[in-house]
Amino acid sequence: MLSWNNSWHSSSTENRTMEREIVASYEPKKNNEIRMFESSDEMATDLAEYISQVSEISIKERGYFAIALSGGPLISFMRKLCEAPYNKTLDWSKWYIFWADERAVAKNHVDSYYKSTKEDFLSKVPILNGHVYSINDNVTVEDAATDYEFVIRQLVKIRTVGVSESNDCPKFDLILLSIGSDGHVASLFPNHPALELKDDWVTYITDSPVPPPERITFTLPVINSASNIAVVATGEDKAKAVYFAISDGAEGPDAPSIPARMVQPTDGKLVWFLDKASASFLEAKTKNDGYEHPKY
């Protein structure tokens, strides 16, 4: 694993040299960190330890751990939390589960993030059912978004979910996101009006470019108000999106305005978890000074 704080593990001198070159070329923005992994198992191991540490700190400081999940391959990478030592050592009774986005389908539908999360994670750890906040799947997507924001507002009032000091947004202890090949995060897609929302905490869309079309999603102010944000990227199809989200070389009027690039914590920390394939454009630039920036 390569981390921008230079605490990496590598199997060869060549890899270590290349990783140092990448570190030199991509110094992260303030409070941002980038970690690269040789294998999915290594990524899952490190992600579990990262989540464990954030949860322990949050519970010690606040008495609660409010975590918002998303879709994609994310839940499969949380599998290590279901194993020793975490399944026995974490204070699961203090965990509160939310979704940064969800598809407006029935909870037992194959497209439901709740369903996949329950099957692959929630059913394997002792999180209290009353601490799992899924969307209302018996109403319209607009009403589901309104209901979800209301629920979160009530929990902010009693500080089960923290509140940002710089605005009135909820301050989740951790928001876990995956990135799409188009650079979307949560259900915030490129050039969508939902990206411009400032006052809403939760909104809805009916025109997702990938099915199903109806979804609810946290807005950017809520995502950026979190204490900790982790973005997980896997696969070569994410490489361009990762490059444009991270690289300073993508600055300027021609740089595509992708949602993942807009994830910048107001008063928190952002960590990118990348496999080798998703980081391939970052690596390619370090190997060839004349490397042409990828274009969408």
Side-chain angles (χ1 to χ4, degrees):
M1 184 268 286
L2 155 69
S3 173
W4 290 114
N5 60 16
N6 293 340
S7 60
W8 66 77
H9 306 283
S10 180
S11 58
S12 72
T13 302
E14 181 181 356
N15 281 346
R16 286 196 296 272
T17 301
M18 181 185 70
E19 287 166 352
R20 288 191 182 97
E21 290 172 353
I22 296 170
V23 168
S25 298
Y26 290 92
E27 183 162 352
K29 298 178 178 64
K30 184 180 179 182
N31 292 330
N32 288 12
E33 181 184 354
I34 301 168
R35 304 181 184 186
M36 294 184 199
F37 302 90
E38 294 286 344
S39 69
S40 61
D41 191 68
E42 193 179 73
M43 181 187 285
T45 298
D46 194 68
L47 184 63
E49 181 61 23
Y50 166 80
I51 296 171
S52 171
Q53 290 175 1
V54 173
S55 75
E56 289 177 7
I57 292 170
S58 300
I59 292 168
K60 183 178 180 180
E61 292 181 350
R62 300 199 314 108
Y64 306 98
F65 177 52
I67 176 173
L69 309 176
S70 194
L74 202 53
I75 301 305
S76 67
F77 283 105
M78 294 176 66
R79 63 184 181 274
K80 299 282 186 179
L81 290 172
C82 306
E83 305 169 2
Y86 305 111
N87 59 346
K88 301 295 185 183
T89 59
L90 289 178
D91 190 352
W92 297 104
S93 68
K94 301 294 196 304
W95 278 50
Y96 288 76
I97 305 291
F98 303 83
W99 277 264
D101 71 317
E102 176 60 289
R103 295 154 168 179
V105 296
K107 287 185 175 65
N108 61 357
H109 193 281
V110 66
D111 289 332
S112 167
Y113 291 156
Y114 170 83
K115 175 181 169 64
S116 58
T117 305
K118 183 175 182 180
E119 291 176 349
D120 296 337
F121 178 62
L122 294 176
S123 64
K124 300 176 181 179
V125 292
I127 295 174
L128 301 174
N129 289 336
H131 291 182
V132 178
Y133 292 88
S134 57
I135 73 167
N136 185 347
D137 59 348
N138 295 313
V139 296
T140 66
V141 65
E142 181 177 5
D143 287 343
T146 301
D147 288 355
Y148 208 54
E149 178 168 327
F150 177 80
V151 168
I152 294 172
R153 285 187 180 275
Q154 301 312 302
L155 292 169
V156 167
K157 284 182 179 179
I158 61 175
R159 294 299 188 265
T160 300
V161 177
V163 63
S164 171
E165 295 178 2
S166 57
N167 55 45
D168 71 341
C169 281
K171 191 177 184 71
F172 286 91
D173 299 306
L174 175 60
I175 295 180
L176 288 177
L177 302 170
S178 55
I179 181 174
S181 58
D182 61 353
H184 81 265
V185 289
S187 283
L188 296 170
F189 293 91
N191 303 311
H192 197 283
L195 291 168
E196 306 300 324
L197 294 174
K198 304 298 183 187
D199 299 323
D200 298 55
W201 290 2
V202 182
T203 190
Y204 69 96
I205 64 172
T206 59
D207 55 356
S208 168
V210 292
E214 294 190 344
R215 300 157 178 247
I216 72 151
T217 183
F218 283 2
T219 58
L220 275 174
V222 170
I223 292 173
N224 286 332
S225 293
S227 294
N228 298 276
I229 306 169
V231 183
V232 176
T234 59
E236 191 174 356
D237 63 317
K238 311 300 194 310
K240 286 185 180 180
V242 167
Y243 173 83
F244 281 116
I246 294 175
S247 173
D248 285 338
E251 295 279 9
D254 296 329
S257 182
I258 63 172
R261 193 175 179 84
M262 302 176 191
V263 176
Q264 291 294 335
T266 307
D267 187 29
K269 297 178 181 179
L270 169 63
V271 181
W272 285 83
F273 289 79
L274 310 176
D275 69 357
K276 297 289 286 186
S278 67
S280 60
F281 277 117
L282 298 180
E283 295 183 1
K285 187 176 184 299
T286 67
K287 294 177 181 177
N288 180 4
D289 290 340
Y291 174 71
E292 183 178 350
H293 293 175
K295 296 179 174 62
Y296 269 118

